[in-house]
Amino acid sequence: MPKTLTPRIQEQLDNKDVRATFVFKIEGIVNTDLLSWSIRADRSFGTMAAQFALRNVDGKYSPGQSNEIKIGDEVELIERYGDDQTDFPKFFGIVRQRSVQKSAEGTGITLNCLDLIVKLQEIDIDRVYEGTKTELRNETLTAQFLPAPNDA
């Protein structure tokens, strides 16, 4: 179901002055250290993947720290327009990989995330379901032909 646009957003579209802002959340908490992101969709498998780069000042997101980002944490990227508080979810998924980088500019952490469909691999769905079997004996099949197009 598509969202209806608020008058404030519609005004921005009419004036051709759309000011998008993005909100990044980890485990439901707004995170302001987001530097960049990229999102990819695979239509063949119906999945989405995202990569987020964050400032990692003093290593606060590194393993063993108080704000450690763990494998399996939920992440969310929300798009908003100007000062309007209507949320348009852009990505929702879980952290599958993380890597910490150190450079002359500072420390960063990159999160590789997949959407929730990846949780299916953790579910035991290798089950065998079998219907009720009924043995048929002395069954005779007769052909039922459709009328040919020229048989009117």
Side-chain angles (χ1 to χ4, degrees), residues 71-152:
I71 303 297
D73 281 356
E74 291 182 352
V75 296
E76 184 176 8
L77 183 65
I78 299 168
E79 190 169 4
R80 292 184 180 154
Y81 295 97
D83 55 359
D84 191 277
Q85 294 301 306
T86 305
D87 289 348
F88 293 89
K90 200 161 183 66
F91 180 82
F92 186 84
I94 57 175
V95 177
R96 296 304 281 180
Q97 293 177 334
R98 62 183 178 193
S99 62
V100 178
Q101 303 88 26
K102 294 181 181 179
S103 66
E105 293 85 34
T107 308
I109 187 167
T110 301
L111 307 176
N112 292 314
C113 307
L114 296 173
D115 64 358
L116 293 180
I117 200 166
V118 76
K119 286 198 171 228
L120 288 177
Q121 72 184 11
E122 299 167 3
I123 298 173
D124 180 23
I125 57 175
D126 294 333
R127 299 178 192 243
V128 177
Y129 294 97
E130 194 171 299
T132 305
K133 293 182 178 180
T134 305
E135 184 178 349
L136 297 175
R137 294 177 187 223
N138 300 327
E139 186 74 19
T140 305
L141 300 176
T142 57
Q144 298 293 323
F145 297 103
L146 297 173
N150 295 329
D151 295 347

Side-chain angles (χ1 to χ4, degrees), residues 25-80:
K25 294 181 180 181
I26 301 174
E27 289 294 307
I29 300 169
V30 174
N31 184 296
T32 57
D33 290 325
L34 182 65
L35 296 172
S36 64
W37 72 87
S38 67
I39 299 174
R40 296 172 310 284
D42 184 342
R43 290 187 181 184
S44 302
F45 297 105
T47 61
M48 290 185 72
Q51 187 175 60
F52 300 100
L54 285 76
R55 267 185 301 282
N56 192 15
V57 179
D58 298 328
K60 65 181 176 181
Y61 301 124
S62 298
Q65 298 301 316
S66 59
N67 293 330
E68 175 186 0
I69 299 173
K70 298 177 181 73
I71 303 297
D73 281 356
E74 291 182 352
V75 296
E76 184 176 8
L77 183 65
I78 299 168
E79 190 169 4
R80 292 184 180 154

Side-chain angles (χ1 to χ4, degrees), residues 3-31:
K3 280 191 174 184
T4 56
L5 299 178
T6 63
R8 180 74 184 117
I9 296 172
Q10 191 62 50
E11 178 186 331
Q12 288 182 37
L13 290 171
D14 293 341
N15 294 337
K16 296 183 175 141
D17 184 26
V18 178
R19 294 178 305 280
T21 57
F22 296 92
V23 178
F24 182 63
K25 294 181 180 181
I26 301 174
E27 289 294 307
I29 300 169
V30 174
N31 184 296

